[in-house]
């Protein structure tokens, strides 16, 4: 789960994710509306599907910036991709990887590469960067709409209409496409089923029932060792660990949330937050909450994974991926607790019956740009080849029977991780990273769980405001102080260091720290985004739907 932690650090100081583009017309390879918005270029798409490319049969060399995997040059995965793309395009393909450095040097390296045409990769992988609009304005980032219409069927069928909206430009062009978008909801409420059974408890549905279960897990010796050494709930030092409490009230303290009157408000200001904090403070005082989750030092996935595997905690709000038998954390838990069993349960219902899992942000946390150093049609054909389930599985997991086996829907590698690194498996990760059945690491049950959570996370998806704009100067100017004040207050209340009534002054603190300007900017961006969405819906129906 290291990727998710990095993601949070990169884009969330506010939840981890890339905002969509704005400004600029770019140069591109088309007019943004396609050759004819009402008539799909079926001939071009058919040529791509049959492996032909009327444009050229000359060898194609294309450079690609890569951030994931072991970054092994001249790897088996690289050669396999070249072969598969060559079959699709009817010509020899030479993929030239440009391996990016570690995260601390990433943006510096990308900006250096993008500074001159002869150093720019044909396809750039990047995360959140405010340089994007400059690349669009300079004509470096190409409009991919015409190429997607001709050659990008796998891509436009894989990404949802909502996801593409956050990568669409108001000029009516698509200067970037998502690289990796999380599943609709990738976290879930987890409970020790064996502890429920031992203590004669039912799976909780309401917040009241959930709290009673957590108290029993902490106080009633569920592991039977005669010691009071278990906790009801643990997790990392992020508010996501407390989602079963906040989301039961329809609250999100990290984002702007839509209000019944149509306005939006920073979620941490909602008066009901005080109710949740008071409950959490009681549970902390009683020893039900693991005190390790209240310290900022506990924001490392490795530490929380160790806590999970130890078997001393009854509940987490944590990754769905834990339910894959091959997950290393799940395997460690079973090794230490052979009789132990964790289960995923439906989101906890609040006093008014509201419940929701945590939704994805709909925005790709990384994205792909075809620069002026490549032909857009050629680049999209390569990307579309990578997007097919068959090729995605090859470059990610290897070849079935040679590098892994599938038995009863269970994926099992037959090679050691070191060999996988030498083969370059994962080097092309975060390039149209499929999260559907093509991700064979997930068992059918886990795939179904992800699909189910599209529905269970919808209630909060309808409430949380996702800002499309990359540039939020007022938020950038004031948010660090606002979040610091919020965190000191909220965790202070939870741990009993700060009285609960101190929450009543947070609204004034927020305003003093620039909250009014943040609110004005947010309201303006929200209104603008609503107007853009209406334009986008028409554009999508004309420019994408006929080509799916």
């Amino acid at each position: 789960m290291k990727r998710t932690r990095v993601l949070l650090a990169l884009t969330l100081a506010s939840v981890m994710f890339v905002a969509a583009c704005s400004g600029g017309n770019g140069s591109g390879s088309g007019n943004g509306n396609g050759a004819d918005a009402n008539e799909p270029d079926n001939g071009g798409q058919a040529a791509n599907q049959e492996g032909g490319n009327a444009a050229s049969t000359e060898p194609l060399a294309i450079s690609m910036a890569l951030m994931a995997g072991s970054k092994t040059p001249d790897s088996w995965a690289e050669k396999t991709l070249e072969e598969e793309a060559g079959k699709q395009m009817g010509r020899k393909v030479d993929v030239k990887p440009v391996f990016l450095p570690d995260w601390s040097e990433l943006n510096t390296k990308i900006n250096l590469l993008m500074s001159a045409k002869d150093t720019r990769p044909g396809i750039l992988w990047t995360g959140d960067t405010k340089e994007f609009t400059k690349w669009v304005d300079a004509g470096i980032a190409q409009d991919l709409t015409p190429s997607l219409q001709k050659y990008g069927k796998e891509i436009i069928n894989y990404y949802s209409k909502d996801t593409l909206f956050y990568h669409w430009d108001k000029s009516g062009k698509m200067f970037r496409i998502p690289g990796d978008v999380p599943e609709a909801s990738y976290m879930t409420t987890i409970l020790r089923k064996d502890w429920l059974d031992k203590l004669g408890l039912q799976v909780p549905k309401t917040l009241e029932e959930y709290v009673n279960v957590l108290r029993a897990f902490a106080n009633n010796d569920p592991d039977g060792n005669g010691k009071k050494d278990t906790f009801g709930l643990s997790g990392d030092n992020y508010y996501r660990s407390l989602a079963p409490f906040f989301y039961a009230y329809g609250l999100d303290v990290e984002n702007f949330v839509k209000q019944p009157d149509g306005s939006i408000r920073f979620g941490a200001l909602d008066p009901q937050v005080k109710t949740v904090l008071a409950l959490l403070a009681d549970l902390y005082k009683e020893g039900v909450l693991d005190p390790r989750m209240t310290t900022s030092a506990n924001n490392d996935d490795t530490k929380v994974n160790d806590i999970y595997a130890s078997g001393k905690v009854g509940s987490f709000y944590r990754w769905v991926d834990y339910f894959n038998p091959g997950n290393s954390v799940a395997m460690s838990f079973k090794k230490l607790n052979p009789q132990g069993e964790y289960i995923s349960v439906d989101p906890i219902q609040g006093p008014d019956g509201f419940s929701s899992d945590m939704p994805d942000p709909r925005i790709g946390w990384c994205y792909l740009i075809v620069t002026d150093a490549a032909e857009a049609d050629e680049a999209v054909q390569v990307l579309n080849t990578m997007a097919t389930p068959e090729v995605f599985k090859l470059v990610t997991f290897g070849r079935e029977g040679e590098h892994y086996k599938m038995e009863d829907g269970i994926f099992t590698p037959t090679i050691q991780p070191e060999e996988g690194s030498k083969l370059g498996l994962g080097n092309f990760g975060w390039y149209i990273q499929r999260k559907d059945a093509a991700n064979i690491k997930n068992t059918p049950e886990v795939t179904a769980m992800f699909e189910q959570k599209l529905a269970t996370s919808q209630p909060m998806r309808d409430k949380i405001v996702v800002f499309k704009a990359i540039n939020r100067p007022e938020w950038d100017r004031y948010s660090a102080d606002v979040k610091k004040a919020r965190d000191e207050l909220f965790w202070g209340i939870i741990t009993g260091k700060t009285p609960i009534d101190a929450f009543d002054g947070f609204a004034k603190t927020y305003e003093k720290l620039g909250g009014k300007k943040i609110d004005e900017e947010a309201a303006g961006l929200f209104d603008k985004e609503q107007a853009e969405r209406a334009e986008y819906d028409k554009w999508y129906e004309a420019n994408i739907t006929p080509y799916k």
Side-chain angles (χ1 to χ4, degrees):
M1 296 305 162
K2 181 178 180 181
R3 172 178 70 79
T4 304
R5 175 170 56 83
V6 173
L7 178 155
L8 284 162
L10 285 176
T11 63
L12 239 188
S14 52
V15 229
M16 71 204 214
F17 297 99
V18 177
C21 55
S22 62
N25 294 320
S27 57
S29 59
N31 62 11
N33 292 319
D36 186 330
N38 297 312
E39 296 183 11
D41 186 356
N42 292 324
Q45 185 68 55
N48 181 43
Q49 291 174 339
E50 294 170 7
N53 180 0
S56 175
T57 57
E58 293 296 317
L60 167 66
I62 187 161
S63 57
M64 305 170 64
L66 303 179
M67 184 61 184
S70 59
K71 304 178 183 177
T72 306
D74 301 318
S75 66
W76 176 88
E78 180 183 324
K79 290 178 172 59
T80 299
L81 174 58
E82 290 171 340
E83 292 173 4
E84 294 298 326
K87 292 177 188 176
Q88 291 295 316
M89 299 176 69
R91 60 196 294 198
K92 180 178 175 60
V93 175
D94 180 14
V95 172
K96 297 184 176 298
V98 178
F99 295 116
L100 297 172
D102 64 26
W103 298 99
S104 64
E105 301 175 0
L106 176 62
N107 287 337
T108 299
K109 178 65 174 180
I110 286 177
N111 291 338
L112 183 62
L113 288 171
M114 294 291 283
S115 64
K117 188 170 182 177
D118 61 352
T119 60
R120 280 197 281 275
I123 305 174
L124 174 71
W125 177 97
T126 185
D128 186 17
T129 173
K130 292 185 171 54
E131 298 297 315
F132 171 71
T133 52
K134 296 179 182 178
W135 300 333
V136 171
D137 291 339
I140 293 172
Q142 298 192 55
D143 173 27
L144 301 180
T145 306
S147 299
L148 288 169
Q149 291 170 342
K150 289 184 287 186
Y151 302 113
K153 192 169 185 178
E154 285 284 352
I155 297 171
I156 61 179
N157 278 333
Y158 176 67
Y159 291 116
S160 71
K161 180 179 179 181
D162 281 346
T163 293
L164 289 182
F165 169 64
Y166 290 99
H167 301 80
W168 172 81
D169 190 82
K170 63 182 180 181
S171 66
K173 298 182 180 182
M174 185 74 68
F175 292 111
R176 60 181 182 168
I177 58 176
D180 185 6
V181 178
E183 295 87 349
S185 180
Y186 43 89
M187 302 183 82
T188 185
T189 303
I190 298 173
L191 286 169
R192 283 287 296 267
K193 176 65 165 56
D194 55 315
W195 285 8
L196 287 173
D197 293 342
K198 180 174 182 178
L199 299 177
L201 300 170
Q202 299 298 312
V203 172
K205 295 182 178 180
T206 68
L207 183 58
E208 181 180 3
E209 292 169 350
Y210 181 62
V211 168
N212 288 338
V213 164
L214 296 184
R215 284 178 166 139
F217 285 169
N219 298 319
N220 296 356
D221 191 25
D223 60 357
N225 68 354
K227 301 177 182 178
K228 192 177 185 307
D229 58 354
T230 57
F231 295 103
L233 178 76
S234 191
D236 51 28
N237 185 235
Y238 297 119
Y239 294 106
R240 66 188 183 191
S241 292
L242 302 173
F245 299 90
F246 285 114
Y247 278 26
Y249 285 86
L251 302 171
D252 188 304
V253 300
E254 297 190 289
N255 292 291
F256 274 80
V257 177
K258 299 171 189 175
Q259 304 301 306
D261 63 1
S263 64
I264 63 174
R265 176 172 58 189
F266 186 50
L269 299 171
D270 194 297
Q272 285 191 303
V273 170
K274 183 178 181 180
T275 302
V276 176
L277 292 175
L279 173 58
L280 292 169
D282 288 343
L283 295 177
Y284 181 86
K285 184 177 180 180
E286 296 170 20
V288 175
L289 298 187
D290 183 350
R292 290 170 291 188
M293 69 189 300
T294 66
T295 65
S296 58
N298 199 41
N299 57 9
D300 186 326
D301 276 329
T302 302
K303 294 179 182 177
V304 183
N305 290 344
D306 289 343
I307 293 172
Y308 185 96
S310 72
K312 291 293 185 179
V313 178
S315 183
F316 294 82
Y317 195 76
R318 205 74 179 145
W319 316 114
V320 171
D321 186 60
Y322 281 179
F323 291 93
N324 277 314
N327 180 279
S328 60
V329 184
M331 293 171 68
S332 295
F333 169 74
K334 289 300 290 185
K335 183 177 181 180
L336 295 171
N337 306 272
Q339 305 305 314
E341 179 186 5
Y342 278 116
I343 59 171
S344 168
V345 302
D346 290 338
I348 302 301
Q349 297 177 12
D352 295 331
F354 185 90
S355 67
S356 181
D357 274 311
M358 180 178 289
D360 73 293
R362 289 171 280 187
I363 297 176
W365 71 274
C366 60
Y367 52 90
L368 310 173
I369 296 169
V370 177
T371 76
D372 58 353
E375 291 293 328
D377 280 359
E378 294 173 341
V380 167
Q381 287 180 77
V382 172
L383 291 172
N384 198 68
T385 300
M386 297 174 71
T388 63
E390 296 76 18
V391 177
F392 170 78
K393 286 187 283 189
L394 276 171
V395 300
T396 306
F397 305 108
R399 201 179 302 280
E400 184 176 1
E402 186 176 348
H403 304 122
Y404 68 88
K405 61 182 179 179
M406 298 292 297
E407 295 180 351
D408 298 324
I410 304 298
F411 165 82
T412 305
T414 56
I415 58 175
Q416 294 299 315
E418 297 78 13
E419 187 177 351
S421 294
K422 291 179 181 179
L423 293 169
L425 300 182
N427 275 6
F428 297 94
W430 307 331
Y431 259 72
I432 311 181
Q433 187 85 17
R434 297 193 72 114
K435 300 297 178 71
D436 56 9
N439 186 5
I440 54 176
K441 178 176 67 67
N442 292 335
T443 64
E445 291 78 13
V446 168
T447 297
M449 193 183 300
F450 279 127
E451 292 173 351
Q452 177 192 24
K453 290 191 172 299
L454 177 61
T456 60
S457 60
Q458 191 62 45
M460 284 304 293
R461 186 176 292 108
D462 291 338
K463 291 169 72 71
I464 295 172
V465 177
V466 179
F467 291 104
K468 185 172 181 285
I470 287 177
N471 294 316
R472 294 175 62 188
E474 302 300 339
W475 175 256
D476 292 342
R477 182 176 295 116
Y478 299 113
S479 61
D481 290 337
V482 167
K483 288 186 286 187
K484 180 180 178 182
R486 174 200 61 194
D487 295 347
E488 289 178 352
L489 174 64
F490 287 11
W491 289 107
I493 290 173
I494 292 171
T495 58
K497 298 175 183 177
T498 305
I500 185 62
D501 287 341
F503 175 83
D504 299 336
F506 182 58
K508 290 184 178 179
T509 300
Y510 174 77
E511 185 173 348
K512 186 184 298 183
L513 294 174
K516 185 176 181 181
K517 292 184 177 180
I518 291 175
D519 289 346
E520 290 173 351
E521 177 184 69
L525 290 173
F526 181 67
D527 291 342
K528 179 182 177 183
E529 188 171 304
Q530 298 298 101
E532 281 191 20
R533 181 62 196 236
E535 295 177 25
Y536 168 79
D537 287 344
K538 296 177 183 177
W539 176 89
Y540 187 92
E541 293 307 313
N543 290 277
I544 300 298
T545 299
Y547 302 90
K548 292 171 75 70

